[in-house]
Amino acid sequence: MTMSSSCLLGHLTIANLCAYVLPSSLYFIPHQIVRHKMGDFPFWNTSLPWNERVDDLVSRLTLEEIQLQMARGGSGEYGGPAPAIPRLGIGAYNWDTECLRGDAETAGNATAFPQALGLAATFSPDLLFRIAAAVGSEVRGKHNDFVQRGIYASHTGASCFSPVINIARDPRWGRNQETYGEDPFLTGILAQNFVRGLQGSDPRYVQASAGCKHFDAHGGPEDIPVNRMTFNALVSDTDWRMTFLPAFKKCVQAGTFSLMCSYNSINGVPSCANKKLLTDILRDEWNFTGYVVSDESAIENIINDHHYLNNSLDTAAACVNAGCNLELSPNLVQPVYLSIVDAINQGKLSENLVRERVKPLFYTRMRLGEFDPPEMNPYAKLDSSIAESPEHQSLAVEAAVKSFVLLKNQDSILPLNLTAFRRVAVIGPMANNISQLFGNYSPNQGRSFTKTPVEGLKLLFPKLVNGTACEDGTPCKIYNSSVVKRVASGADLIFVILGTGQVLESEDTDRPDVNLPGKQQLLLQDTLSFNPHARIILLLMNAGPLNISVFDESDRVSAIMECFFPAQAAGDALAAVLSNRGGNSSPAGRLPMTWPRFDWQIPPMVNYSMEGRTYRYLKTDPLYPFGYGLSYTRFVYMDLVLSDLVLQPQQNLTVAVLLKNVGDFTADEVLQCYISWGNQSLPVPVRQLVYFTRLPVAARHQVNHTFTVSWENWAYWSHGEWTVQSGIMNIFCGGQQPFQKKQVPSNVLTKTFKVIRTA
């Protein structure tokens, strides 16, 4: 069902529902019912502790009411919302909100920040925090307006199915774009900052609740070579603990209110029915007290696709017992969790457990302020007017600028001398392709908020000429070389803008390989042939790595820049970076994924062993390594000092690094520190990122930066427990990984320390 944003955001009354007519009255609850307090029930008493209020509320619910609350976590006419309970004055609530990098799939405009993988390339926890805070304020503002209008349709709540913190383990996976890349440490730190920014800093109330997904061992395939709905990830205990779980633990430590269990099975047990995952690890080991929501239809898939169980009653019992609190059904009239009461009656579920499972749902709603006077809650003052505020638009440009990764800059052609070129051309399927600039789970956008690459380049070169040549867009199966010849001929500077977009890599859509799609490589080769004298700048807009080795090695291609999916700020950010606008727009993004050089460096998608995957386990040279990225200036690392050279097994290490910008441009530098174990026979990675930050450094100035590396970074999983091995450890700090063949101009400093046991 669709609705117009003008209707949805306009005045709604009982008598006037515009075009928004639904078959269920659950979607429209009069304002008076939502806010009216029914009697003097303790759960309305703001002076009582949260747990007492929740206990009181849940004690007053019938099992049938609890069943509905746990079954209606989905979208669509029937999937949600969780219905109102008028006898207690409790309103409806919709749990189905997407906040990956903006308030997605809801009515009206919302700021579209760069897609998540691009945000990861900033290597900036501070930026992730500020973006999440902006997203949270827009989500909350819209939610407040929806509640005032009595609207509880999909994507109107203040509980987010975000961030996505799965490990980008395979470059062909369609959902790499939604992740923070391939490294569990980077992912965990960025996730923590996103969660804290989204949820806000008020000591009592939550701005919007976070939900980290997809839990767990979820990283492809989508559809190649098998369907994600049936996939069983066979994962060793070591890989599970050291690669797939760590970021989720960081998310829990940051205070996320929820996690989403994934579609796949893990070693034969579907994630949403996996007690080891949802109770033994999540609750018993990590002390998580929030709720677990299923991915959409993941519970139904236990019956229909995994064939793990064969009926709703047993499946409801298995999932609730395992630790799944809320079902996100695919818009079903009769979701699986409507069998909860029957499961209790047949002794397959206990009433006490079911009551405990529903408590985190109402605790979340209480912390959002639903059961308190609005004047107590600072977030109750927000409304939809905050969406696309000037401050948020500016932040979107900053984020895109900081996400771009400079992969090549031959003869320092960048930043551009704008007066050096007479005729400028732009060509390629991503040059003016507004529909593919955003990636999955993007907010709705008014055209006035977005600048395409061509529009941004026209800010620098008003008379440029442009064309696409790929008549079907990024698939580029219908290719017209005459367009290339017409546009490229006579130009002395040509921007070739290639990429993928969500039409080629997205949820449900893996790539068969990492090659440039269709005839895109031919397009660039034709550009070189038709104009043998022009300077060529290749701009890439994609998520997963692309095989561009031939152009990386070509003297004819002067510069290459990876731009990911920069969303609404694409054009403005390109103009800023290419011209070094303000003297401080040097690119400083770093690759959050390894780009392979050869196909044989990519193991089969369905093989969940980490051997040979990501920089942590790869033992051959890639095209571009994780953490790689150039700058307009040059940095020199001058000193590396450790607080101790001998450590106890659970002793943290204090590190000080002195670095200097020895170039002529003020710029950011991404400091990266890695460790390696002296004993490589242990079940450990080749190396592991243990610290990173993004530092602004003025030209010809130096910075002394001190930080702490936790001992947990050199613990590893062995024989069912975390272990710290006595012996030599190496630490490397600089602007890149140590020992990489493809290097940036800066250096890497190294020290060794020893871990010993004295007790």
Side-chain angles (χ1 to χ4, degrees):
M1 177 163 292
T2 60
M3 67 197 94
S4 68
S5 59
S6 60
C7 167
L8 188 55
L9 295 179
H11 181 65
L12 273 173
T13 66
I14 293 289
N16 175 25
L17 294 180
C18 301
Y20 187 55
V21 179
L22 295 174
S24 172
S25 61
L26 299 179
Y27 284 78
F28 186 88
I29 309 298
H31 172 75
Q32 292 85 351
I33 293 179
V34 175
R35 294 298 180 191
H36 181 53
K37 298 181 182 179
M38 303 295 288
D40 296 320
F41 298 136
F43 71 83
W44 289 109
N45 186 345
T46 60
S47 66
L48 292 178
W50 296 116
N51 64 318
E52 290 186 23
R53 296 176 68 185
V54 171
D55 288 348
D56 176 72
L57 188 159
V58 172
S59 73
R60 299 177 187 281
L61 301 179
T62 67
L63 286 176
E64 288 74 17
E65 288 169 335
I66 291 174
Q67 176 176 259
L68 277 171
Q69 295 296 313
M70 296 175 65
R72 299 298 186 192
S75 63
E77 300 175 29
Y78 309 107
I85 308 172
R87 68 183 182 84
L88 298 176
I90 298 172
Y93 188 75
N94 192 286
W95 297 96
D96 179 38
T97 297
E98 298 284 357
C99 321
L100 182 63
R101 41 35 186 276
D103 190 5
E105 301 181 17
T106 191
N109 291 319
T111 310
F113 295 97
Q115 178 60 301
L117 192 66
L119 297 181
T122 69
F123 275 66
S124 176
D126 167 72
L127 182 64
L128 265 289
F129 179 90
R130 290 188 286 126
I131 288 171
V135 172
S137 68
E138 294 193 11
V139 167
R140 184 52 182 257
K142 285 175 172 280
H143 169 68
N144 290 342
D145 284 355
F146 288 131
V147 170
Q148 286 295 318
R149 291 169 169 82
I151 298 172
Y152 297 90
S154 300
H155 310 300
T156 63
S159 295
C160 295
F161 297 160
S162 310
V164 175
I165 58 172
N166 298 114
I167 298 303
R169 53 177 279 279
D170 192 296
R172 300 159 298 191
W173 184 36
R175 301 190 78 171
N176 284 323
Q177 60 178 284
E178 300 175 45
T179 75
Y180 295 143
E182 70 183 34
D183 182 70
F185 180 82
L186 172 70
T187 299
I189 296 299
L190 296 182
Q192 286 187 318
N193 281 271
F194 189 94
V195 167
R196 290 165 179 157
L198 188 75
Q199 295 187 167
S201 57
D202 188 83
R204 179 176 178 86
Y205 297 105
V206 174
Q207 177 174 246
S209 61
C212 299
K213 65 181 187 181
H214 308 84
F215 196 52
D216 188 52
H218 181 73
E222 293 292 300
D223 64 338
I224 301 175
V226 297
N227 189 281
R228 61 180 176 161
M229 302 300 185
T230 63
F231 184 66
N232 177 31
L234 300 177
V235 185
S236 72
D237 214 28
T238 298
D239 286 340
W240 199 17
R241 293 287 187 160
M242 295 190 67
T243 296
F244 299 110
L245 286 173
F248 285 97
K249 183 177 181 180
K250 291 283 190 185
C251 194
V252 170
Q253 291 170 338
T256 186
F257 276 72
S258 77
L259 278 77
M260 177 182 282
C261 51
S262 54
Y263 286 125
N264 56 285
S265 291
I266 304 170
N267 298 329
V269 183
S271 295
C272 296
N274 197 312
K275 180 179 179 295
K276 180 177 180 180
L277 177 68
L278 303 184
T279 294
D280 299 349
I281 295 173
L282 179 60
R283 290 179 168 88
D284 295 345
E285 289 187 28
W286 299 353
N287 299 314
F288 177 68
T289 57
Y291 66 92
V292 173
V293 57
S294 73
D295 205 341
E296 184 172 322
S297 79
I299 289 178
E300 285 71 25
N301 291 351
I302 292 172
I303 302 169
N304 300 326
D305 295 291
H306 291 292
H307 304 295
Y308 184 75
L309 296 166
N310 62 12
N311 63 80
S312 292
L313 190 148
D314 287 339
T315 302
C319 293
V320 173
N321 279 321
C324 184
N325 308 74
L326 182 64
E327 178 179 6
L328 177 59
S329 84
N331 194 25
L332 296 180
V333 175
Q334 190 72 21
V336 168
Y337 269 21
L338 287 188
S339 296
I340 285 175
V341 172
D342 287 342
I344 293 172
N345 291 336
Q346 292 191 25
K348 296 185 176 183
L349 272 176
S350 74
E351 177 177 343
N352 286 341
L353 178 64
V354 170
R355 290 188 179 275
E356 287 301 313
R357 290 286 188 251
V358 83
K359 286 180 180 179
L361 303 180
F362 284 104
Y363 174 76
T364 301
R365 293 170 64 174
M366 282 191 180
R367 292 294 305 277
L368 287 165
E370 180 179 339
F371 300 97
D372 289 7
E375 58 269 20
M376 292 181 64
N377 184 356
Y379 303 122
K381 301 177 178 67
L382 295 170
D383 60 34
S384 297
S385 66
I386 197 170
E388 285 286 15
S389 66
E391 294 79 10
H392 291 180
Q393 292 182 53
S394 177
L395 183 58
V397 176
E398 177 191 348
V401 166
K402 290 184 173 180
S403 72
F404 292 172
V405 181
L406 185 60
L407 301 175
K408 181 179 181 180
N409 194 20
Q410 187 171 287
D411 302 325
S412 299
I413 187 175
L414 300 180
L416 290 168
N417 178 353
L418 300 182
T419 64
F421 304 99
R422 295 179 299 102
R423 188 174 187 275
V424 178
V426 182
I427 195 162
M430 288 297 283
N432 211 27
N433 193 343
I434 192 168
S435 69
Q436 299 301 305
L437 286 174
F438 290 86
N440 285 150
Y441 293 106
S442 176
N444 294 322
Q445 279 296 293
R447 183 66 177 84
S448 62
F449 294 114
T450 301
K451 277 194 178 69
T452 66
V454 163
E455 292 167 336
L457 291 170
K458 282 184 176 179
L459 299 175
L460 306 179
F461 305 103
K463 296 182 180 180
L464 64 78
V465 295
N466 71 91
T468 64
C470 298
E471 296 179 4
D472 57 340
T474 53
C476 204
K477 296 178 180 178
I478 306 173
Y479 170 63
N480 188 342
S481 63
S482 65
V483 175
V484 178
K485 186 173 184 178
R486 174 181 59 81
V487 173
S489 296
D492 49 9
L493 175 65
I494 304 173
F495 294 94
V496 179
I497 309 182
L498 308 178
T500 56
Q502 57 269 35
V503 69
L504 292 174
E505 52 178 334
S506 65
E507 183 172 4
D508 290 322
T509 305
D510 294 320
R511 292 185 295 156
D513 51 50
V514 296
N515 296 328
L516 283 166
K519 302 292 180 62
Q520 288 193 34
Q521 180 163 322
L522 178 60
L523 184 157
L524 182 46
Q525 289 169 334
D526 282 348
T527 303
L528 299 176
S529 299
F530 291 142
N531 190 326
H533 306 294
R535 304 297 295 273
I536 307 295
I537 295 176
L538 172 59
L539 303 175
L540 299 171
M541 297 196 173
N542 56 289
L546 292 168
N547 180 3
I548 55 166
S549 56
V550 64
F551 303 117
D552 178 73
E553 297 163 0
S554 171
D555 290 337
R556 288 294 323 284
V557 178
S558 298
I560 303 174
M561 190 155 64
E562 169 60 44
C563 305
F564 304 97
F565 296 136
Q568 70 182 60
D572 282 323
L574 275 175
V577 172
L578 293 170
S579 64
N580 194 27
R581 187 168 66 198
N584 60 355
S585 299
S586 171
R590 302 292 183 260
L591 290 179
M593 288 185 70
T594 302
W595 284 37
R597 177 178 291 274
F598 305 107
D599 290 343
W600 55 260
Q601 291 177 310
I602 309 173
M605 175 80 85
V606 295
N607 179 0
Y608 258 70
S609 168
M610 288 305 298
E611 183 178 355
R613 290 193 184 275
T614 75
Y615 82 93
R616 298 168 70 231
Y617 297 97
L618 183 65
K619 296 181 180 179
T620 55
D621 293 319
L623 175 61
Y624 300 119
F626 171 90
Y628 179 83
L630 301 172
S631 174
Y632 293 161
T633 192
R634 189 168 72 88
F635 296 94
V636 172
Y637 287 80
M638 303 170 66
D639 200 12
L640 173 63
V641 179
L642 307 184
S643 60
D644 298 276
L645 298 180
V646 179
L647 300 177
Q648 291 292 308
Q650 296 189 9
Q651 181 181 346
N652 296 337
L653 180 67
T654 301
V655 182
V657 174
L658 179 65
L659 68 149
K660 184 175 182 179
N661 181 347
V662 298
D664 297 326
F665 297 99
T666 293
D668 289 356
E669 167 68 335
V670 173
L671 165 64
Q672 305 168 48
C673 291
Y674 299 83
I675 60 165
S676 69
W677 288 257
N679 182 359
Q680 279 289 305
S681 67
L682 301 173
V684 295
V686 175
R687 65 186 63 93
Q688 171 63 56
L689 182 72
V690 294
Y691 182 78
F692 67 93
T693 193
R694 184 170 176 135
L695 299 167
V697 189
R700 306 296 177 181
H701 283 67
Q702 63 187 37
V703 170
N704 199 331
H705 184 70
T706 302
F707 53 94
T708 299
V709 178
S710 169
W711 66 269
E712 292 175 319
N713 288 289
W714 44 87
Y716 61 92
W717 188 261
S718 180
H719 298 98
E721 62 181 4
W722 289 103
T723 301
V724 175
Q725 178 78 26
S726 297
I728 296 293
M729 297 293 301
N730 308 296
I731 187 166
F732 311 89
C733 292
Q736 59 193 320
Q737 288 186 58
F739 313 123
Q740 60 188 40
K741 183 176 181 180
K742 186 81 166 183
Q743 295 187 350
V744 304
S746 68
N747 58 319
V748 176
L749 301 178
T750 181
K751 294 277 188 178
T752 62
F753 60 95
K754 183 180 291 187
V755 177
I756 63 171
R757 296 180 183 273
T758 58

